[in-house]
Amino acid sequence: MAAAAASSSDTGRNGDDGLNGTGTETKAVEDRNPINGQANPTDSHDAETTTKDPQKKSKIGKLWAKLDLDLPTALMMMKAALPPTISLAMYQADAIATTYSTLGYLVAIISILGFCIMPRAKFIQTMIMNVISTCVAAAVGMLMLWSGVQARLHTTPTGAPFQRYNSSQSVVCAVWLFFQIWLVNSVKAKFPQFAFPTILYAIFVNVAATYGPQFMTTVQAESFIKRLLYTFLTGFGLATGVSLLIVPVTCRKVVTKEMTGYIMALKGALQAHKSYLQSLETTDIFSQNMPQPADGNPKSEKPTWKPEIESVKKMTAAFTELHGKLNGDLPFAKRETVWGKLTPEDFEGIFKHLRAIMIPLVGLGSLIDIFDRFAESNQWGEDGSENTNAESVKMRQKAVSDWNEIMKSVHEPFATIIQAMDGGLDHALLRLQFIKPPKKRKAASGTDPEEIGDLVQPGETGFVAYLEKQSDSFYQGKETTLRHWIESKGVKLREDIFHNRDSSLPAECEEISKDPHSTGQHNQRQLYLALYIMFLLHSISRAILDFAKFADEKDQALVKSRLINPGKKRLKKWLASTFTAQDSSREDETTVVGLESNGYVIYMGEAYRKKKDPEHLPPQNAWEKFGNLIRALSGFLRSPESSFGFRCACATMSIAIVAYLRDTQKFFVEQRLVWAMIMVAISMVPTSGQSVYTFILRIVGTVIAMIVAFLIWFIPDEKTAGIIVFLWVFVALGFYIPLKRIDLVIVGLISVVTATMIVGYELEVRKIGRQLATSNGQPYYKIHLLGPYRLATVVGGLAVAFFWTFFPYPVSEHSALRQKLGGALYLSANYYSIMHETVMARIRGDEGDPSDALSPASQLTKARNKVFAKQMLTLQGLKMHSEMVKWEFPLGGKFPQGEYDIIIQCVSNIVNYTALIGYASNTFTQTALEGENDKSSAQWFRDFKRIISSADITSHEITSLLSLLSSSITNGQPLPPYLVAPQSYKLATRMKAVDRDILSIRHIAEPGYAAFAVMQISTRCIHMEIEKLLSAVKKLVGELDFSFHTVSTQSSSEANSTDTLVKTSSRSKQE
């Protein structure tokens, strides 16, 4: 069930997502960002937060708000409960009961596992694979039973009396069972998208293999396999009918709601940034935590972020998570054949625009981190207590005062552009019909019609022009802001100072950049950071403007619905992706993370080719190619996936052996231990941390299911009609958990399946009679006895699975986290390397046409987006593994989770700053250069590009270091000696050495200067992260340090001779 939940992590939420956005978090975003026709979204947001008083809410209201239960969620819950309800209801017909006999309740179980709440494209793909796997299981199962019957016939003497048990038949079935469970679980580990089909295959095989030794003839075996196959296919048919006919949900609808939630999260992030930037006008920018009360309360010892900072971090995490989820769901939406308006290309275009908005917005969120770094480099604590030097305290106060003044001076333009950007996102939502248009407000009797006409609202024809005007005004107002900053330093400037290259600068301007007592350096950092904020705000506004223009081009009000066909090429890709692993790849080095899979290759240098084999050259003839196939088979047998499958097979046989021994076969059948086998096959997970977590959840889920089954049976006074109705009610309630609490999906599914199994069996016995129900050797138990028996069986199976997860050795969450972290570092190295080539190509001007699929620009973009998306998913997986660590048994020393969390955060920051460098380098493209109307600006821009091309913007040393750290973490090997982080680029110093005037104060209004400031800050932050990363990795794996120094034996300490003669020390102290 864990695998099922993992496979349907999207599905569990998609039932809600398909109608209500992206779940609880996005719903909260929508609530915080209403769009109406009576006020702009900012005012509405402020009004809502001020008018809602949580103390006025009743307890019921608080509980209802916490449940987040709305109509779309309720519809999905009711839909999910329909297949098992229909199954048990139709079983009351005599024809159905006669056909399915003692397997009737299994139809209901299979219909639940059909997971009808999946979006349509995912459901159809999964259902096709379910049917194929079931048919294959039936064919192989028939072969297994036939070979077992043949073994019985060949080992039974002619005329011998009937014997229920035959050892040869039992051995044959046992061997078949072991092989199939090993193979199917290996496939499940290799191909995550086959989770549901492999679970159903395992159920089929377990049932067939354990009943197999009882069959005397091939006719009996064939009849049983046929009934079992009919049972599975009927369950699939019920799930398919409900999925496609009852409240149908398409992947396009899910993606549309996810995109709506994404845009809402971007709106929320803009408002959070607005609040944060405005808070910098009056607060200490270097203090991120709330002041601690001096009441001695131990609960208040843990520092808490300021609400503005917490809001920024929360909203940034929300839309980055949605970005990763959308990246996985988008291919399914593009493959659907539907009657609609948006084409697959439209969805791809929307996603590209959202990504273009996301990158600078993430960079703007890094402002908090940058201020923190600045305080850390100056040893300024939260309250300035770390450095009590009077001069340092004075410098801190001066810096805070300067930033307060700067932020006050930009209050109005920042608020205006953020409000305009918020409206731009509303405009895109309305044009794409992601939300309903607001009701038009009636004008008051005394309102001037001309005044109303000047207010262009989002969704109206002239709003894009208004947004572009606001963006241009913000860009042009940058000169005023920079002039104010220079004049705040006591310097008076001429009016044409930023446009006339021949005008001379006042002598005081040179003093701003000089370095008396670090004042010049402080001013330069202040200037660069101010440019950083303005550049990113302007970049976000341009990205939103492009998005709004795209929405105007795709105005859904002007488009007629039509049949959308994905095309043969996309369908071929769909078919290919179905049978290929959808994770990382060892062959494709750009996305290798851990397990082997296949990916496409971009032929652009060594890093984009297939990984070389140091023991074998490429095959040159047919025989060598055949040898490679043999090697691939042996490689699979020794792979981690095969090892996991072997564990599952051993765990299954630990229980199944009871069915294959003479003295215990009857006990196995009577106590229904086959369900313990099924729980083993579907509940084992590769790592022990997850096993402990899921073990507890499954036990809790089974206990709840037993209680619920009693309620379903006894509340309607044991009346069949009432029982079926209450089953539907309780199963619907049980599906709330998979829909809303994906972290507790195991509890929900186990509860639903177990409750249905208990009630379904009792209804089956009531319908077909006790005599027929017990004809298979299973005694009848009333429900008050059957419930505890089911509980004991499931817990027993879970205990066996738990044991084999740890034996003979545990694949701990620690090692899984370490391996995945090594993969994340390798991805970071690849991403940085790709970005290095991108930046240098843009500076040289040989990037080519991005629209040409064969150009370097197009191929670099594909590789960059591919690795970036993979890294986002990898970081989410790392956080999940980090959470699971606490569930492992603490054997030995403590796990250094602090160091791992530091490394994960460093990797995340490096990726964000690297993406920001690439985004800022767009300014260096020929298109941006041609856009300059000012000849002096264009000339400076050419000079700037010429000089910056000679000063390395990025460094290959970082790529090499990240690759080395990845290898060290992955293999657990110490780092080589004398390894240090690369030196900072010092771009400004290098460029000034070539041309002192290139970074003069007169050029600070140039677009290239602001982009340079962003890159300067980003590269500096990357170097700081690299230093922190190197230090953390050294603590984990150590380094090959053989240095020593001799300590005098005349020391007064009472150390022994071995300590005083030679004593090792860390090289860091020597250095």
Side-chain angles (χ1 to χ4, degrees):
M1 211 60 69
S7 169
S8 61
S9 59
D10 299 336
T11 309
R13 289 169 291 191
N14 282 344
D16 177 45
D17 294 350
L19 297 171
N20 190 37
T22 54
T24 307
E25 192 167 20
T26 305
K27 178 67 166 56
V29 174
E30 293 177 0
D31 291 342
R32 288 194 295 269
N33 297 276
I35 301 175
N36 51 60
Q38 300 181 357
N40 73 52
T42 306
D43 297 336
S44 176
H45 166 80
D46 295 336
E48 187 178 20
T49 55
T50 54
T51 55
K52 285 187 177 181
D53 185 2
Q55 294 181 354
K56 294 182 180 180
K57 284 186 177 181
S58 64
K59 292 184 178 180
I60 297 178
K62 290 180 180 179
L63 179 61
W64 188 261
K66 190 174 182 179
L67 288 175
D68 191 25
L69 186 60
D70 50 18
L71 179 60
T73 305
L75 288 175
M76 286 297 103
M77 292 165 58
M78 290 186 283
K79 175 180 178 178
L82 283 176
T85 306
I86 295 172
S87 169
L88 295 180
M90 73 179 194
Y91 188 78
Q92 305 309 309
D94 294 337
I96 300 296
T98 302
T99 301
Y100 296 98
S101 186
T102 57
L103 296 177
Y105 73 97
L106 191 57
V107 176
I109 303 300
I110 300 302
S111 69
I112 292 175
L113 296 180
F115 229 75
C116 65
I117 56 177
M118 279 185 181
R120 186 168 62 193
K122 286 186 178 182
F123 177 83
I124 292 175
Q125 174 179 310
T126 304
M127 186 54 65
I128 290 174
M129 298 310 302
N130 288 346
V131 172
I132 292 175
S133 67
T134 302
C135 292
V136 171
V140 178
M142 187 62 224
L143 177 61
M144 173 181 63
L145 298 187
W146 176 83
S147 59
V149 170
Q150 294 302 310
R152 173 186 283 270
L153 294 176
H154 285 81
T155 55
T156 302
T158 305
F162 166 78
Q163 290 186 355
R164 184 180 183 88
Y165 178 81
N166 182 275
S167 59
S168 299
Q169 187 176 20
S170 297
V171 169
V172 170
C173 290
V175 172
W176 273 103
L177 175 64
F178 186 91
F179 171 75
Q180 291 184 82
I181 294 298
W182 163 76
L183 183 61
V184 75
N185 281 279
S186 299
V187 171
K188 182 171 69 174
K190 179 76 173 179
F191 303 99
Q193 68 269 30
F194 289 165
F196 270 120
T198 52
I199 286 173
L200 292 164
Y201 187 102
I203 294 175
F204 197 105
V205 167
N206 276 299
V207 174
T210 52
Y211 279 95
Q214 303 179 31
F215 299 127
M216 307 287 294
T217 64
T218 303
V219 175
Q220 292 177 340
E222 184 178 350
S223 174
F224 176 78
I225 290 293
K226 187 180 294 185
R227 282 198 299 123
L228 194 58
L229 178 61
Y230 287 171
T231 298
F232 273 67
L233 295 182
T234 304
F236 294 155
L238 291 174
T240 303
V242 172
S243 175
L244 301 182
L245 301 178
I246 308 298
V247 194
V249 177
T250 65
C251 283
R252 292 168 63 90
K253 181 179 286 188
V254 171
V255 167
T256 298
K257 292 303 180 181
E258 286 178 358
M259 288 179 169
T260 304
Y262 196 146
I263 297 172
M264 290 296 187
L266 293 175
K267 284 167 54 64
L270 286 175
Q271 298 304 323
H273 280 293
K274 177 182 177 182
S275 300
Y276 172 67
L277 293 174
Q278 290 179 352
S279 71
L280 300 182
E281 299 173 12
T282 56
T283 60
D284 186 348
I285 62 172
F286 304 116
S287 177
Q288 298 187 12
N289 298 331
M290 293 289 291
Q292 298 299 315
D295 55 1
N297 186 1
K299 293 184 180 180
S300 62
E301 291 180 0
K302 186 177 180 180
T304 57
W305 283 324
K306 292 179 179 178
E308 299 86 1
I309 294 176
E310 185 176 4
S311 179
V312 169
K313 290 181 177 292
K314 182 178 180 180
M315 299 310 303
T316 302
F319 68 72
T320 51
E321 182 180 353
L322 283 170
H323 182 86
K325 189 174 187 301
L326 189 58
N327 187 76
D329 290 341
L330 189 60
F332 289 95
K334 294 192 295 184
R335 295 165 184 164
E336 280 187 323
T337 300
V338 295
W339 182 263
K341 296 181 179 180
L342 288 173
T343 65
E345 290 74 19
D346 293 340
F347 278 111
E348 185 65 31
I350 294 171
F351 183 65
K352 288 180 179 179
H353 283 289
L354 292 176
R355 182 171 56 219
I357 299 171
M358 181 201 71
I359 292 176
L361 195 55
V362 170
L364 190 62
S366 300
L367 187 63
I368 300 169
D369 178 59
I370 294 172
F371 280 132
D372 187 50
R373 294 174 190 275
F374 189 76
E376 183 180 350
S377 63
N378 289 278
Q379 297 182 350
W380 294 339
E382 282 293 323
D383 55 356
S385 58
E386 290 189 16
N387 195 332
T388 57
N389 182 276
E391 184 177 352
S392 178
V393 173
K394 183 178 179 181
M395 184 180 297
R396 176 193 174 102
Q397 294 175 349
K398 179 68 167 59
V400 172
S401 176
D402 288 347
W403 274 109
N404 289 159
E405 290 300 320
I406 292 173
M407 299 313 296
K408 287 178 181 177
S409 67
V410 296
H411 175 95
E412 187 62 30
F414 280 12
T416 302
I417 192 62
I418 289 177
Q419 180 177 342
M421 290 189 291
D422 193 279
L425 293 173
D426 288 343
H427 181 79
L429 286 169
L430 292 168
R431 287 295 195 186
L432 296 172
Q433 294 186 347
F434 285 175
I435 59 173
K436 295 181 180 179
K439 296 180 180 179
K440 292 186 178 181
R441 179 177 50 178
K442 294 182 179 180
S445 57
T447 307
D448 186 1
E450 293 183 1
E451 182 180 351
I452 297 177
D454 293 337
L455 298 177
V456 184
Q457 298 294 328
E460 296 181 0
T461 304
F463 186 81
V464 170
Y466 164 77
L467 179 60
E468 187 169 13
K469 179 181 177 181
Q470 291 295 323
S471 179
D472 293 340
S473 298
F474 178 79
Y475 178 75
Q476 295 167 3
K478 179 176 67 172
E479 292 185 6
T480 304
T481 303
L482 294 175
R483 181 184 296 275
H484 179 273
W485 178 80
I486 295 175
E487 291 179 351
S488 68
K489 307 299 179 183
V491 180
K492 295 295 182 180
L493 298 176
R494 293 174 51 183
E495 291 295 329
D496 61 346
I497 189 66
F498 294 134
H499 302 282
N500 188 355
R501 293 174 60 91
D502 299 327
S503 61
S504 59
L505 286 173
E508 294 84 351
C509 283
E510 298 298 330
E511 299 297 328
I512 295 178
S513 302
K514 290 183 180 179
D515 191 17
H517 306 294
S518 300
T519 303
Q521 185 179 9
H522 168 72
N523 289 334
Q524 186 183 56
R525 290 180 178 177
Q526 198 176 86
L527 171 63
Y528 282 177
L529 197 51
L531 290 171
Y532 177 93
I533 300 172
M534 289 185 286
F535 176 86
L536 291 180
L537 279 175
H538 180 252
S539 298
I540 297 169
S541 70
R542 301 305 298 185
I544 292 177
L545 176 62
D546 291 340
F547 186 31
K549 290 180 178 179
F550 174 84
D552 273 355
E553 293 175 3
K554 306 296 181 181
D555 189 356
Q556 297 300 286
L558 305 178
V559 180
K560 293 183 179 180
S561 296
R562 60 194 186 280
L563 183 64
I564 306 293
N565 188 358
K568 293 182 180 180
K569 183 179 179 181
R570 198 166 272 115
L571 290 177
K572 287 181 179 179
K573 287 184 177 180
W574 186 2
L575 183 63
S577 66
T578 302
F579 296 96
T580 55
Q582 298 178 357
D583 202 358
S584 56
S585 172
R586 284 192 184 277
E587 294 183 349
D588 183 0
E589 291 189 341
T590 58
T591 57
V592 57
V593 167
L595 300 179
E596 296 182 26
S597 18
N598 296 320
Y600 62 87
V601 178
I602 305 172
Y603 188 84
M604 288 179 59
E606 236 5 74
Y608 303 96
R609 298 176 184 173
K610 290 187 177 181
K611 194 172 183 180
K612 290 185 176 180
D613 186 347
E615 300 176 1
H616 297 271
L617 294 174
Q620 301 297 329
N621 52 48
W623 176 251
E624 291 181 353
K625 292 179 180 178
F626 175 74
N628 270 0
L629 294 177
I630 302 299
R631 292 176 55 239
L633 177 61
S634 62
F636 172 73
L637 292 176
R638 66 171 179 264
S639 66
E641 296 90 345
S642 177
S643 176
F644 173 69
F646 186 79
R647 284 175 184 262
C648 294
C650 290
T652 302
M653 286 304 300
S654 298
I655 302 173
I657 191 64
V658 180
Y660 300 129
L661 299 178
R662 182 187 303 272
D663 297 333
T664 57
Q665 187 181 65
K666 183 178 180 182
F667 174 81
F668 181 93
V669 175
E670 290 179 350
Q671 305 307 323
R672 301 165 174 84
L673 296 187
V674 65
W675 284 102
M677 294 172 55
I678 292 174
M679 291 306 301
V680 168
I682 66 178
S683 66
M684 286 191 68
V685 290
T687 59
S688 57
Q690 283 185 316
S691 182
V692 176
Y693 183 66
T694 55
F695 178 68
I696 296 173
L697 289 183
R698 283 173 175 81
I699 292 177
V700 172
T702 307
V703 172
I704 294 174
M706 182 182 68
I707 298 172
V708 167
F710 292 160
L711 296 176
I712 294 172
W713 189 261
F714 291 113
I715 287 179
D717 196 24
E718 303 183 29
K719 297 294 190 296
T720 300
I723 291 171
I724 293 176
V725 171
F726 273 90
L727 176 75
W728 175 75
V729 172
F730 278 98
V731 171
L733 293 176
F735 264 92
Y736 169 84
I737 297 176
L739 286 170
K740 286 293 186 180
R741 292 294 306 273
I742 195 64
D743 56 325
L744 299 178
V745 64
I746 300 164
V747 176
L749 288 178
I750 291 294
S751 300
V752 168
V753 169
T754 307
T756 305
M757 184 168 56
I758 295 173
V759 175
Y761 177 78
E762 294 293 334
L763 289 177
E764 174 188 291
V765 175
R766 175 179 290 182
K767 179 62 182 178
I768 65 178
R770 184 176 301 185
Q771 182 178 358
L772 181 57
T774 57
S775 62
N776 57 5
Q778 295 180 353
Y780 168 71
Y781 294 118
K782 291 187 177 181
I783 193 169
H784 66 276
L785 291 176
L786 182 64
Y789 269 113
R790 293 296 191 196
L791 175 62
T793 302
V794 172
V795 171
L798 293 175
V800 171
F802 183 77
F803 170 80
W804 280 99
T805 302
F806 286 87
F807 181 82
Y809 63 89
V811 181
S812 67
E813 206 71 42
H814 302 162
S815 59
L817 178 60
R818 179 173 58 83
Q819 294 287 335
K820 207 171 188 71
L821 186 56
L825 285 167
Y826 193 83
L827 281 174
S828 299
N830 278 275
Y831 189 60
Y832 190 89
S833 178
I834 295 170
M835 195 61 71
H836 169 87
E837 294 302 325
T838 301
V839 172
M840 297 310 298
R842 287 171 176 172
I843 292 174
R844 293 191 303 265
D846 57 3
E847 190 183 24
D849 183 9
S851 60
D852 183 4
L854 301 178
S855 67
S858 176
Q859 297 189 50
L860 282 168
T861 300
K862 287 181 181 179
R864 190 169 62 247
N865 293 339
K866 174 186 175 185
V867 178
F868 182 77
K870 181 62 187 175
Q871 184 68 293
M872 292 295 101
L873 295 175
T874 303
L875 289 172
Q876 292 179 16
L878 282 172
K879 293 176 182 177
M880 183 271 292
H881 280 289
S882 182
E883 287 294 322
M884 289 295 175
V885 165
K886 62 186 178 182
W887 292 94
E888 286 196 329
F889 289 122
L891 300 175
K894 291 184 178 180
F895 179 71
Q897 188 164 1
E899 280 71 19
Y900 276 91
D901 289 342
I902 290 174
I903 295 175
I904 294 172
Q905 187 60 47
C906 287
V907 172
S908 178
N909 291 340
I910 289 171
V911 172
N912 291 338
Y913 286 121
T914 303
L916 201 55
I917 290 176
Y919 191 88
S921 68
N922 274 319
T923 310
F924 304 139
T925 60
Q926 188 67 24
T927 304
L929 178 61
E930 293 174 353
E932 291 293 332
N933 297 323
D934 192 340
K935 292 183 179 180
S936 62
S937 295
Q939 181 60 43
W940 176 88
F941 202 70
R942 296 189 191 97
D943 295 341
F944 180 80
K945 287 181 61 177
R946 174 179 53 81
I947 294 172
I948 204 172
S949 62
S950 62
D952 293 334
I953 291 293
T954 54
S955 171
H956 292 300
E957 295 177 0
I958 291 180
T959 303
S960 301
L961 180 61
L962 288 172
S963 301
L964 184 60
L965 295 178
S966 169
S967 178
S968 183
I969 285 286
T970 303
N971 300 316
Q973 295 177 342
L975 292 170
Y978 314 113
L979 185 65
V980 294
Q983 296 295 319
S984 180
Y985 304 138
K986 299 181 180 179
L987 292 178
T989 304
R990 293 187 182 186
M991 295 182 66
K992 286 181 180 179
V994 179
D995 186 348
R996 294 190 60 184
D997 184 62
I998 198 68
L999 296 180
S1000 173
I1001 292 295
R1002 70 158 55 92
H1003 301 305
I1004 61 177
E1006 302 289 350
Y1009 201 109
F1012 171 77
V1014 173
M1015 298 180 71
Q1016 173 82 336
I1017 291 174
S1018 299
T1019 52
R1020 176 56 184 156
C1021 289
I1022 288 176
H1023 276 84
M1024 295 178 71
E1025 290 296 335
I1026 289 290
E1027 292 174 357
K1028 189 185 299 184
L1029 179 64
L1030 180 59
S1031 175
V1033 173
K1034 281 183 180 180
K1035 290 182 180 179
L1036 287 181
V1037 300
E1039 60 179 329
L1040 292 174
D1041 185 5
F1042 300 104
S1043 61
F1044 67 92
H1045 67 274
T1046 304
V1047 180
S1048 173
T1049 57
Q1050 302 299 323
S1051 175
S1052 59
S1053 65
E1054 296 181 358
N1056 58 37
S1057 60
T1058 57
D1059 287 336
T1060 56
L1061 287 175
V1062 178
K1063 188 175 184 178
T1064 58
S1065 68
S1066 66
R1067 188 177 64 260
S1068 61
K1069 293 182 179 179
Q1070 294 181 12
E1071 295 175 350

